[in-house]
Amino acid sequence: MAPQDALTGWDENATAEAYEAFTRIHPMYNATSVDLAARAELADADVVVDLCGGAGATAHAILGMIPGRARVVSVDSAGAMQHVGRRTLSDPRLSWITAPAEQLAEHVPAGGVDAVVCNSAIWKTDITAVFAAVARVLRPGGRFVFNIGGGFAGVHHPDERIFRTGPSLNALILQIAARDHGYTPPPRTTDAAPKLPLKRVTAELAAAGLALLGTKVTSQHGTMAEKKAWLSIPVFARPADGGFTHAQRMEILDAAYALTTPDAVTVTSWLVVVAQRPLNTP
C-alpha cells in the first residue's frame, strides 16, 4: 500500500475501513463527538449538520441528542468514508452529502440549520470559506461547534505534563526510523507558529459574521495501545515523509511500540470552540 496523506488520503477504502474499526473499538472520536454535540445544545434542534462527518462517529452522537422529528446531514468529501458510514450507521433521520466542507452552502438551505458540528477536521479545510458557508446556513441563534487539536491550535492542557512519563510514541517512531532505516527527519523549527491559533480563529469567525461564545482547552486521556491503533490508520502512519510504504511504517510502529508500556496514559489536548450566528442578523 502506498503512503497516504492526512489531508487527501481519506477517500480510500483501506483508510475508511481502518478508521471505522478504530472508532468502533476505541473511545477517542466517540468521546470528542459527544462533547461537541453536547455543547451544540441540540434538545430543540430540527436540522443539524455534521461537517467533515467521515464515517459517522459524530453523527451517531448527534442522533442520540436530537428530538425524534429532527434530522442530521453528514457532509464529507470522501465517498469511501461515507460508504462505510452508510453500511454501519442506519437511521432514517440521517442523510449523506458527498461534498467538500467549503461547498456546504450549495447543499443546505440558507438559514435552515440549527447547529453545525465539526469534529477533529476543521484544520484541513479553508476556514475562511467554511466559516462563511456555516454563517450562511445557520439560522439566527444557531451554533457552530468544533475542535482543533492542541498542536494545530498551539495549546496544551496541564495534564500533558502531569502524565508524561517518557518519550511519546511519535518520538520513538522517528528514533527507530533513523536507527534502523536511515531516516533523516526534517529540521525542527522551534519557533514555528501554530496552524490555527485562537487569534486567527476568532478573526475568521468575526469576518464571517459569527460571534464567539466561548472556548475551552480540554484533555482526552487514552493509552499507548490506543495511540498505536490510531497510528495504524494509513493517513496517520509515521513517518509521514521519507518514502516509506505502509508496511514499512507498520514495521517501524511495531518496533517503537515494543519500547512502551501498553497501558501507559497518553493525553491529547483540544481547543474547543463554540460560536453562534447572532440573533439580530437578517
Side-chain angles (χ1 to χ4, degrees), residues 95-200:
S95 59
W96 306 81
I97 294 175
T98 307
E102 293 82 358
Q103 296 176 11
L104 171 65
E106 299 176 22
H107 300 276
V108 179
V113 173
D114 296 287
V116 175
V117 180
C118 183
N119 186 9
S120 312
I122 204 71
W123 65 271
K124 63 179 181 176
T125 70
D126 176 349
I127 65 168
T128 301
V130 169
F131 288 6
V134 169
R136 183 176 177 187
V137 303
L138 281 176
R139 65 166 174 78
R143 288 197 166 197
F144 180 29
V145 184
F146 58 94
N147 57 9
I148 305 169
F152 289 119
V155 300
H156 299 280
H157 193 278
D159 282 1
E160 285 193 49
R161 183 178 298 275
I162 293 171
F163 287 93
R164 184 179 299 148
T165 58
S168 69
L169 188 52
N170 279 331
L172 290 171
I173 286 170
L174 296 182
Q175 291 176 19
I176 296 295
R179 186 191 72 188
D180 297 346
H181 299 269
Y183 171 69
T184 302
R188 294 190 62 180
T189 306
T190 56
D191 58 349
K195 181 180 177 69
L196 282 181
L198 180 58
K199 182 177 181 180
R200 182 187 171 198

Side-chain angles (χ1 to χ4, degrees), residues 14-15 17-29 169 173 223-238 246 250 253-254 257 260 262 266:
T15 287
E17 295 289 351
Y19 175 87
E20 189 280 327
F22 178 86
T23 60
R24 183 167 16 94
I25 298 169
H26 299 282
M28 174 180 163
Y29 286 107
L169 188 52
I173 286 170
T223 64
M224 200 66 75
E226 182 183 44
K227 184 70 172 181
K228 178 180 184 288
W230 186 77
L231 288 168
S232 298
I233 300 172
V235 292
F236 297 132
R238 298 290 183 268
H246 185 65
M250 293 302 94
L253 174 60
D254 287 341
Y257 181 67
T260 71
T266 62

Side-chain angles (χ1 to χ4, degrees), residues 13 27 30 46 58 68 82-83 101 108 112 173 184 187 195 209 223 240 266 271:
N13 291 334
N30 296 319
D46 290 313
T58 302
Q82 293 191 327
H83 176 75
V108 179
I173 286 170
T184 302
K195 181 180 177 69
T223 64
T266 62
L271 174 63

